[in-house]
Amino acid sequence: MQTNLSSGNLVADKRADYARMLGESGDFQAACEVMQQALELAPEWAAGWFQAGGYCERAGNKEGALESFEHVLACSPDDRFGARLKLAYLRGEIIDAPQYAYVEALFDDYAEKFDKSLVEKLRYRVPGLLAQMVERNAPGRKFEHCVDLGCGTGLMAQALSNKPAHTTGVDLSAAMLAKAEGKGLYTKLIKADLIDGISAAGQADLIIAADVFMYLGSLQPVMLAAAGHLLDTGVFAFSTELNELGNDCQLRASMRYAHSSNYIIACLRSAGFSPLELRAEIIRMDGETSIEGLLVIAHKSNHSMVGDG
């Protein structure tokens, strides 16, 4: 997420640049103080308040961080910076409603470097792992219509070895969809949130969501939507970040959610799915930290999957 957008005040921008240098050197308290000086000159600067909140947070000044992120919301009610998530994290809360404006802005900013950064730097593994699980649970099956939720630049569609006859990509980010279109992998691309996208895509025999559900607190609505549009013999495949700390859902400092395996299974069953395979795997890196995820293949509880026949 770009937080260095200009305030429109040259002096405020210069002070923010100095604060950034202090932050990069590890002096977060000083960075926060300099940003406060910048914000006195540009009090309606949402990106500046977000920057200040980050410095306060890293300096251990929780009250200052909370105040700064509240200012972000006041200056930018659409919350493209994700201030609501920051506030929820600092307060130990969970937001069930998806923060779509933040996710859209995040991936619009990220689109140009997405493939290189995710695959090469973060060693992202989800598309290949999910594709293998789909093949293992539906060997040789030729799907008629795949809906790729949160399709991004098309990494999941690329990974499927047995290409579906038709593939619909759904994403909030216009910049990501433009990258996906250039790869020629999709029959149709839809700019929409997950639930509206499922509805617009229509009936499918494969619904897949790679590295998407970590932007949702509650998984129940999207699972119910998937169940309503998946054919009786269809396959539902997805990944989550895994949280086994005892609670169903954890909002992490990364502003991504992690869900417990028990919660995921309960949501699946409530929506009318039965899990076929659940596999815990390292899905990517976050700096030097390995991020563990859960990869899931499920089908309708009262039907069996069929192959090509």
Side-chain angles (χ1 to χ4, degrees), residues 9 39-40 56 107 132 160 178 199 255 261 277 281:
N9 181 305
L39 289 161
E40 288 175 5
C56 288
F107 285 101
Q132 291 170 15
L160 293 170
S199 179
M255 295 201 285
S261 55
E277 182 179 359
E281 294 274 3

Side-chain angles (χ1 to χ4, degrees), residues 9 41 44 53 63 69 77 85 104-105 108 134 169 174 221 265-266 295 301:
N9 181 305
L41 299 170
E44 303 302 315
E63 289 304 314
F69 293 132
L85 286 170
E104 180 177 4
D108 276 346
V134 170
I265 292 169
L295 294 98
S301 297

Side-chain angles (χ1 to χ4, degrees), residues 15 27 34 39 42 65 76 91 108 110 117 127 131 136 140 181 192 211 221 252 274 286:
R15 290 188 181 177
D27 193 347
V34 173
L39 289 161
S76 179
R91 292 167 175 158
D108 276 346
Y110 199 19
S117 176
R136 187 160 55 246
E181 185 174 21
D211 210 41
R252 293 176 163 171
S274 290
D286 185 1

Side-chain angles (χ1 to χ4, degrees), residues 112-126:
E112 198 60 40
K113 59 185 178 181
F114 182 78
D115 286 12
K116 185 176 180 66
S117 176
L118 201 59
V119 176
E120 295 182 18
K121 293 184 180 180
L122 302 183
R123 286 179 269 171
Y124 175 59
R125 305 175 65 217
V126 171

Side-chain angles (χ1 to χ4, degrees), residues 219-286:
L219 299 182
Q220 193 70 32
V222 71
M223 289 194 181
L224 287 168
H229 289 82
L230 188 70
L231 295 174
D232 286 343
T233 56
V235 177
F236 184 33
F238 61 90
S239 67
T240 69
E241 288 189 12
L242 186 58
N243 171 48
E244 298 293 27
L245 298 178
N247 47 334
D248 290 342
C249 181
Q250 176 195 32
L251 178 58
R252 293 176 163 171
S254 62
M255 295 201 285
R256 293 158 66 101
Y257 289 99
H259 301 89
S260 73
S261 55
N262 286 340
Y263 172 74
I264 292 163
I265 292 169
C267 285
L268 283 169
R269 289 179 173 159
S270 179
F273 288 109
S274 290
L276 289 164
E277 182 179 359
L278 297 92
R279 180 177 293 270
E281 294 274 3
I282 301 300
I283 58 174
R284 64 177 178 86
M285 301 297 293
D286 185 1

Side-chain angles (χ1 to χ4, degrees), residues 5-295:
L5 306 176
S6 173
S7 68
N9 181 305
L10 184 60
V11 177
D13 286 354
K14 286 184 176 179
R15 290 188 181 177
D17 287 340
Y18 181 45
R20 193 173 299 110
M21 292 172 58
L22 289 168
E24 289 171 354
S25 71
D27 193 347
F28 300 113
Q29 182 58 43
C32 188
E33 291 170 3
V34 173
M35 275 306 301
Q36 291 297 329
Q37 296 170 16
L39 289 161
E40 288 175 5
L41 299 170
E44 303 302 315
W45 186 18
W49 282 113
F50 192 85
Q51 195 171 329
Y55 295 145
C56 288
E57 183 182 357
R58 297 192 70 179
N61 180 1
K62 182 177 178 180
E63 289 304 314
L66 288 168
E67 182 179 351
S68 295
F69 293 132
E70 289 284 7
H71 276 292
V72 177
L73 279 181
C75 297
S76 179
D78 68 346
D79 197 24
R80 69 185 304 272
F81 294 99
R84 285 187 180 86
L85 286 170
K86 278 291 192 182
L87 289 165
Y89 171 71
L90 289 169
R91 292 167 175 158
E93 300 170 351
I94 296 294
I95 305 174
D96 282 340
Q99 302 300 292
Y100 285 135
Y102 159 67
V103 175
E104 180 177 4
L106 175 70
F107 285 101
D108 276 346
D109 288 346
Y110 199 19
E112 198 60 40
K113 59 185 178 181
F114 182 78
D115 286 12
K116 185 176 180 66
S117 176
L118 201 59
V119 176
E120 295 182 18
K121 293 184 180 180
L122 302 183
R123 286 179 269 171
Y124 175 59
R125 305 175 65 217
V126 171
L129 292 170
L130 269 184
Q132 291 170 15
M133 288 175 67
V134 170
E135 176 61 27
R136 187 160 55 246
N137 286 277
R141 179 168 176 179
K142 178 73 171 180
F143 291 97
E144 180 63 25
H145 183 203
C146 168
V147 177
D148 183 5
L149 296 175
C151 65
T153 62
L155 294 176
M156 188 66 245
Q158 276 181 294
L160 293 170
S161 56
N162 193 7
K163 304 299 183 190
H166 305 280
T167 302
T168 298
V170 175
D171 206 284
L172 279 169
S173 167
M176 286 288 200
L177 290 171
K179 290 288 184 182
E181 185 174 21
K183 294 181 179 179
L185 297 165
Y186 295 94
T187 311
K188 184 178 182 181
L189 291 165
I190 299 172
K191 184 182 184 302
D193 62 51
L194 297 180
I195 293 176
D196 287 347
I198 289 170
S199 179
Q203 294 292 301
D205 52 356
L206 174 61
I207 296 178
I208 198 160
D211 210 41
V212 177
F213 290 171
M214 44 280 294
Y215 295 102
L216 304 176
S218 172
L219 299 182
Q220 193 70 32
V222 71
M223 289 194 181
L224 287 168
H229 289 82
L230 188 70
L231 295 174
D232 286 343
T233 56
V235 177
F236 184 33
F238 61 90
S239 67
T240 69
E241 288 189 12
L242 186 58
N243 171 48
E244 298 293 27
L245 298 178
N247 47 334
D248 290 342
C249 181
Q250 176 195 32
L251 178 58
R252 293 176 163 171
S254 62
M255 295 201 285
R256 293 158 66 101
Y257 289 99
H259 301 89
S260 73
S261 55
N262 286 340
Y263 172 74
I264 292 163
I265 292 169
C267 285
L268 283 169
R269 289 179 173 159
S270 179
F273 288 109
S274 290
L276 289 164
E277 182 179 359
L278 297 92
R279 180 177 293 270
E281 294 274 3
I282 301 300
I283 58 174
R284 64 177 178 86
M285 301 297 293
D286 185 1
E288 299 299 316
T289 304
S290 300
I291 302 299
E292 189 176 24
L294 190 69
L295 294 98

